[in-house]
Amino acid sequence: MVGSFFILTSYLNSLPFRVVGILLLLFFAVLFLQSGFDKVQDRKGNLDWLIGHFSKSMFKNAVPLLLAVITVMELISGFASLGTAVYLGFAELSQIWIPFAVVSFCALTLLNLFAGQRIAKDYAGAAGIVPYFIVAFLAMVFFGGLIFWEG
């Protein structure tokens, strides 16, 4: 057990681990910050489109609230991803649960977007979210597998 901890610690601070981890986190930072800022900057346009998009769903009266919730989730996902990428780049990594928690929250945000598309019966839009979710899942395996290995 002690030997595996030292191997893990040296791997966590290795260049390959850091580069892959940083790129995964930057991917989510770009994805969610662009989408979240777009929802903030063009709230009216997004709201008008979403009201039409959900007009025949059970959420037709809750669109403004749901837009606010998903905007906050995207911004949290984006800023947390960016902050964690910086953390991986400069700090000695000893808390592997931090990037795992961040990519888990990103996956939850994507799951909410996916559910909304399915509820609105926009199956093509829902299918477009699947590749992002696969990347989130693989990032969770990448970071989460190390948590379980650590013991």
Side-chain angles (χ1 to χ4, degrees), residues 38-54:
D38 177 66
K39 286 176 177 61
V40 169
Q41 290 175 339
D42 187 21
R43 179 167 171 78
K44 183 175 176 359
N46 279 285
L47 190 56
D48 290 344
W49 184 82
L50 288 169
I51 287 171
H53 196 62
F54 285 97

Side-chain angles (χ1 to χ4, degrees), residues 111-130:
L111 192 59
N112 281 309
L113 290 166
F114 179 79
Q117 296 290 60
R118 296 289 300 183
I119 290 166
K121 297 185 179 178
D122 180 0
Y123 301 116
I129 295 169
V130 171

Side-chain angles (χ1 to χ4, degrees), residues 13-31:
N13 293 300
S14 71
L15 184 62
F17 175 82
R18 286 178 181 271
V19 169
V20 171
I22 289 167
L23 290 175
L24 284 167
L25 290 160
L26 288 177
F27 174 84
F28 290 116
V30 169
L31 172 68

